[in-house]
Amino acid sequence: MDLRDLAQDAEKMSSDAASTPESSVNEEVACGVTVELTGYSENAETTTGDVAGEAKEYTKETVIERLVTISESDGSEISRDEVSKLKQVFYNIRKNELLAEKQAFVDQGNEESAFAPMPDSMEQQMYELLNIIKNKKAQYIVRLESEREQNLQKKQAVIAELNSMAEDTDNVNRHYQRFRELSQEFKELGEVPPTAQTEIWRNYQLAVERFYDQLKVNKDLRDYDFKKNQEIKQLLIQEAEKLEDASDVVMAFRRLQELHDKWREAGPVAKELREEMWTRFKDVSAVVNKRYQAFFEERKAKESENEQSKTALCELIENIDLSSLSNHTAWEDATKIILKAQEDWKKLGFASKKVNNQLFARFRKACDEFFAAKAQHFRSLRETQSENLVKKTALCEKAEALKDSTDWKKTADEFVALQKQWKAIGAVDRKQSDAIWQRFQNAADYFFEQRKKNASLQRKSEQAALKVKQGIIEELKQLSLEATDRESSIARYRQLQSEWNKAGHVPFRDKERIYEAYRSEANRVFDALDMNRHKSGMANFVSGIEEMSDDKNRLFRERERIARALEQKRAEMKTYQNNLGFFNVKSSSGNSIMRDMERRMKRINDDVSSLEEKLRLIDSKIK
């Protein structure tokens, strides 16, 4: 090795030593943020467009195959970006499958809200592979950290030996070959822990500078190297200045790290220019780093805000009291809350890396539990509604069997009872609710409409009967009571009695009044015409018995008829007597009813006496 080579190497190492103190603060900040950015990008979710593009190239099977391959590779070969994208592609495909399953479920006539997805075995396999990959990556990181610690110890040993050679001022030139070997060894050693990186570079460069300060080299060669290094560093400064206004802050920061690496590789410049050039480069780096720091601080603030919003959404769903959702409306209102929460979740960005996946798992768990409970509720509800449909169908059949009945009072009571039973039965499915209710209502409406028509006809009939009876009363008032017209008046009287009995019912409010008026006129006419119903009847009966006295069989048949009539009258009398014992008089209308009952009992008693007399007459003829 000649003096020129020795000088060039010396200048290069001196440049490394000069650059470290100037960039140590910036590198320390940059190093810390670089680690954070790398973690974020590896765990960031793929955009909708990227996932859609991946989904066209992958199937679930190919995703699983790729994950299997990755899980079998070494941890250093695992790309978190690729694993994250594969996971998102799988979720996108699974989402499309679930949408298709739900649509098929709805097309079969089911309620969309009752849909519950079937488990996917490949999804479970994916989770297992992800765990394997995660563990391998973690093991690799542990191994990498161990290697970094070993590298740190080796580099510290190199620095210690460099410092020892620098202290031997009399033999610096003799140590130069070993110096180069140590410098090359230091560069070939791998990474050290990020927290020690700045300190180890600073110590190394200080040791190199101490060594070069003791090394006497050719000044011309040093000046040549200084000029060459100055040109390189000026270009690095110019390129760094372009990064100040770059739109992509992350890209600008990463490019700045590359420029810092090249700055370290470049040799030193003239001593009078070192501070000036480093200050320019450091100031530009500070601007880029400040923008980068502001970007991540803003992102952290947004992530913190998103974390709070996502936590609030989780709590919103978790606080829904499922036990209080007892009807369809309550479940639908709660479902709207869940769907709104899911829409709001999609609009939110990421939370911090350490909690984002936990929050999503918590949110998904709360949603799954709600929809599982809802599906169970509606399955149970459909079973209950089916039972209710059977019960209401039975009530419809009963109502349809009763709708043509003319026993208005009894049937109306039965319809009221059926309506109470209907209200006591729970709801049926909405698709059948209107039809089954209309069927029941049609039967009830038909009956009550017929009853209404009948009541209207009955009222008209009663009014017509009232007019007829009023006419009979008026005719009784006008009936001639002269002796010369006695026979015709009696005949007309009896005819009017027959017409009265055939006239039918009058309105209830007029019943007592019209009957009293009729009875008063009838009694008046009866007394005036001296018509004894018993005497007249007995005369006719005696005449008839005389005609059949020669025919014993006819007499026996007549006696049987009279005996049956007598028993019937006695039974009727007993019934009236029993009813009279339970009857209480509390009003004028009650007095009228009492008088009517007494009048009927007197008439029955007269009939009993007449029938007994007729039996005695027949018995005398038979003997």
Side-chain angles (χ1 to χ4, degrees):
M1 176 183 292
D2 59 14
L3 186 61
R4 181 181 298 273
D5 293 333
L6 180 66
Q8 290 177 348
D9 288 341
E11 289 295 326
K12 189 172 187 302
M13 298 305 293
S14 178
S15 170
D16 292 339
S19 63
T20 298
E22 297 169 339
S23 61
S24 60
V25 175
N26 184 49
E27 289 171 357
E28 183 175 0
V29 173
C31 181
V33 180
T34 302
V35 173
E36 181 177 1
L37 175 65
T38 303
Y40 182 86
S41 64
E42 290 174 346
N43 288 274
E45 295 184 15
T46 310
T47 63
T48 304
D50 293 336
V51 174
E54 294 290 346
K56 294 178 182 178
E57 301 174 4
Y58 282 97
T59 63
K60 289 197 297 184
E61 289 76 9
T62 56
V63 170
I64 295 299
E65 289 175 0
R66 180 55 186 156
L67 287 175
V68 170
T69 301
I70 294 174
S71 69
E72 294 173 350
S73 61
D74 185 75
S76 61
E77 300 173 356
I78 295 175
S79 169
R80 288 180 176 174
D81 284 340
E82 181 183 8
V83 173
S84 178
K85 287 182 179 180
L86 289 171
K87 181 171 67 174
Q88 294 304 316
V89 168
F90 186 96
Y91 281 144
N92 193 58
I93 297 172
R94 180 60 180 152
K95 177 181 176 183
N96 293 333
E97 288 180 348
L98 290 176
L99 290 175
E101 288 179 13
K102 181 184 288 185
Q103 187 60 45
F105 183 81
V106 173
D107 292 342
Q108 293 174 1
N110 298 305
E111 288 287 342
E112 181 178 351
S113 58
F115 173 73
M118 298 296 293
D120 186 355
S121 60
M122 296 187 71
E123 187 174 7
Q124 181 61 35
Q125 185 181 4
M126 183 189 69
Y127 291 148
E128 294 173 355
L129 290 171
L130 290 176
N131 284 332
I132 294 173
I133 293 170
K134 179 181 178 182
N135 292 335
K136 278 199 172 186
K137 191 68 175 179
Q139 293 171 3
Y140 165 72
I141 291 173
V142 171
R143 186 170 69 252
L144 181 61
E145 290 175 351
S146 176
E147 291 174 358
R148 285 175 175 176
E149 191 64 34
Q150 293 175 9
N151 293 336
L152 175 62
Q153 295 175 5
K154 292 178 181 179
K155 286 189 175 184
Q156 288 174 339
V158 170
I159 292 171
E161 188 173 350
L162 287 174
N163 286 328
S164 177
M165 290 190 299
E167 292 174 359
D168 187 6
T169 57
D170 295 335
N171 297 301
V172 170
N173 291 336
R174 295 173 57 187
H175 293 315
Y176 186 75
Q177 182 61 34
R178 178 57 181 163
F179 172 81
R180 294 192 64 183
E181 293 173 356
L182 290 173
S183 298
Q184 186 64 28
E185 180 182 348
F186 187 93
K187 293 180 180 180
E188 290 176 353
L189 287 172
E191 297 178 348
V192 299
T195 55
Q197 183 176 0
T198 301
E199 181 70 17
I200 199 69
W201 265 104
R202 180 166 55 246
N203 294 338
Y204 169 72
Q205 290 173 353
L206 286 174
V208 169
E209 286 178 352
R210 290 181 63 190
F211 182 86
Y212 275 114
D213 287 342
Q214 304 298 329
L215 187 66
K216 299 186 182 295
V217 294
N218 186 285
K219 186 177 183 301
D220 292 339
L221 292 177
R222 287 188 62 187
D223 291 343
Y224 175 80
D225 284 343
F226 283 165
K227 183 178 180 181
K228 181 182 66 174
N229 294 336
Q230 180 181 352
E231 292 174 354
I232 293 173
K233 290 190 173 182
Q234 284 177 339
L235 291 175
L236 294 176
I237 292 171
Q238 292 172 3
E239 189 170 352
E241 288 173 342
K242 295 178 182 179
L243 299 177
E244 290 181 328
D245 300 321
S247 57
D248 191 336
V249 176
V250 176
M251 181 279 296
F253 175 77
R254 290 177 176 173
R255 178 57 183 159
L256 180 65
Q257 306 313 303
E258 295 175 0
L259 296 180
H260 271 270
D261 291 339
K262 291 181 180 180
W263 185 279
R264 293 190 188 100
E265 292 173 2
V269 297
K271 189 172 183 180
E272 63 273 13
L273 297 176
R274 289 178 188 175
E275 186 65 26
E276 176 189 353
M277 295 190 72
W278 168 244
T279 300
R280 285 181 62 193
F281 188 66
K282 181 179 67 175
D283 290 344
V284 173
S285 300
V287 173
V288 176
N289 283 329
K290 187 174 181 180
R291 291 182 66 207
Y292 183 75
Q293 288 285 17
F295 170 78
F296 275 95
E297 286 174 1
E298 180 181 353
R299 193 179 75 177
K300 284 182 179 179
K302 185 62 177 176
E303 287 177 347
S304 178
E305 180 182 342
N306 292 338
E307 179 180 347
Q308 294 176 3
S309 299
K310 289 186 174 184
T311 301
L313 290 177
C314 291
E315 292 174 349
L316 172 66
I317 298 177
E318 291 167 348
N319 289 334
I320 295 176
D321 185 3
L322 300 180
S323 62
S324 66
L325 305 179
S326 57
N327 54 56
H328 181 83
T329 301
W331 277 103
E332 288 306 308
D333 290 343
T335 301
K336 291 178 182 178
I337 295 174
I338 300 295
L339 296 180
K340 177 64 167 56
Q342 290 178 340
E343 289 298 321
D344 293 342
W345 184 280
K346 293 177 183 178
K347 295 175 184 177
L348 294 173
F350 294 104
S352 61
K353 177 185 174 183
K354 64 181 180 180
V355 299
N356 191 68
N357 291 337
Q358 297 175 2
L359 283 173
F360 178 73
R362 178 182 175 185
F363 182 76
R364 180 175 179 179
K365 179 176 180 291
C367 291
D368 289 346
E369 288 177 351
F370 171 82
F371 284 110
K374 180 179 179 182
Q376 178 59 36
H377 168 79
F378 279 98
R379 278 194 294 269
S380 177
L381 181 61
R382 282 194 295 273
E383 294 174 0
T384 303
Q385 287 178 342
S386 297
E387 295 174 359
N388 293 340
L389 179 61
V390 173
K391 294 177 182 178
K392 289 191 173 182
T393 301
L395 291 183
C396 287
E397 293 171 353
K398 290 181 180 179
E400 289 167 349
L402 291 172
K403 71 175 186 176
D404 294 318
S405 173
T406 56
D407 189 350
W408 308 113
K409 179 65 173 66
K410 179 181 177 183
T411 307
D413 292 341
E414 291 179 354
F415 263 106
V416 170
L418 290 179
Q419 288 172 338
K420 289 181 179 178
Q421 294 178 37
W422 185 280
K423 292 179 181 178
I425 299 173
V428 299
D429 189 88
R430 285 187 295 174
K431 294 180 180 179
Q432 299 167 310
S433 177
D434 291 342
I436 194 68
W437 165 246
Q438 194 61 46
R439 179 181 174 184
F440 180 78
Q441 191 65 24
N442 287 343
D445 289 347
Y446 179 83
F447 168 77
F448 285 108
E449 184 64 27
Q450 296 304 311
R451 189 182 73 161
K452 182 178 178 181
K453 291 179 180 178
N454 179 75
S456 177
L457 293 173
Q458 185 176 352
R459 284 193 295 271
K460 291 179 180 179
S461 175
E462 288 174 349
Q463 289 294 330
L466 178 61
K467 290 181 179 181
V468 170
K469 289 189 175 184
Q470 287 174 338
I472 291 174
I473 293 171
E474 289 300 321
E475 192 168 346
L476 284 173
K477 291 179 180 180
Q478 303 298 326
L479 191 63
S480 174
L481 303 178
E482 297 296 332
T484 55
D485 298 327
R486 183 173 179 277
E487 293 299 329
S488 62
S489 294
I490 291 172
R492 181 55 182 160
Y493 171 79
R494 289 175 177 169
Q495 185 179 359
L496 289 175
Q497 280 185 317
S498 177
E499 291 177 2
W500 177 274
N501 294 329
K502 295 177 181 179
H505 297 287
V506 298
F508 184 79
R509 66 178 180 274
D510 298 314
K511 178 180 178 181
E512 188 65 27
R513 177 184 60 80
I514 199 69
Y515 180 74
E516 287 295 333
Y518 169 74
R519 187 177 62 177
S520 176
E521 289 301 318
N523 289 340
R524 182 183 65 81
V525 172
F526 185 85
D527 293 339
L529 295 178
D530 191 22
M531 292 184 299
N532 188 311
R533 180 173 57 86
H534 174 67
K535 290 180 181 180
S536 176
M538 282 301 296
N540 292 332
F541 181 75
V542 170
S543 175
I545 291 299
E546 289 296 336
E547 290 178 2
M548 65 178 73
S549 59
D550 294 334
D551 189 346
K552 299 295 184 181
N553 289 330
R554 289 183 64 190
L555 286 175
F556 277 116
R557 286 197 298 272
E558 183 66 16
R559 189 184 187 286
E560 289 293 330
R561 186 184 68 78
I562 297 299
R564 286 195 300 270
L566 177 60
E567 290 300 321
Q568 184 177 355
K569 289 294 181 181
R570 286 174 177 170
E572 190 175 351
M573 174 61 76
K574 187 174 182 180
T575 300
Y576 272 103
Q577 290 172 343
N578 290 337
N579 291 340
L580 191 62
F582 293 104
F583 190 77
N584 292 322
V585 178
K586 293 184 179 180
S587 64
S588 58
S589 61
N591 287 327
S592 175
I593 295 173
M594 178 69 78
R595 289 195 301 271
D596 185 59
M597 289 181 66
E598 290 174 347
R599 179 180 58 77
R600 292 182 182 181
M601 289 173 65
K602 183 178 181 305
R603 180 174 295 174
I604 292 171
N605 192 50
D606 292 340
D607 290 342
V608 169
S609 298
S610 176
L611 291 171
E612 288 176 345
E613 185 177 351
K614 288 178 180 180
L615 281 178
R616 288 193 295 272
L617 178 60
I618 293 174
D619 289 341
S620 67
K621 294 295 183 181
I622 292 175
K623 292 178 181 180

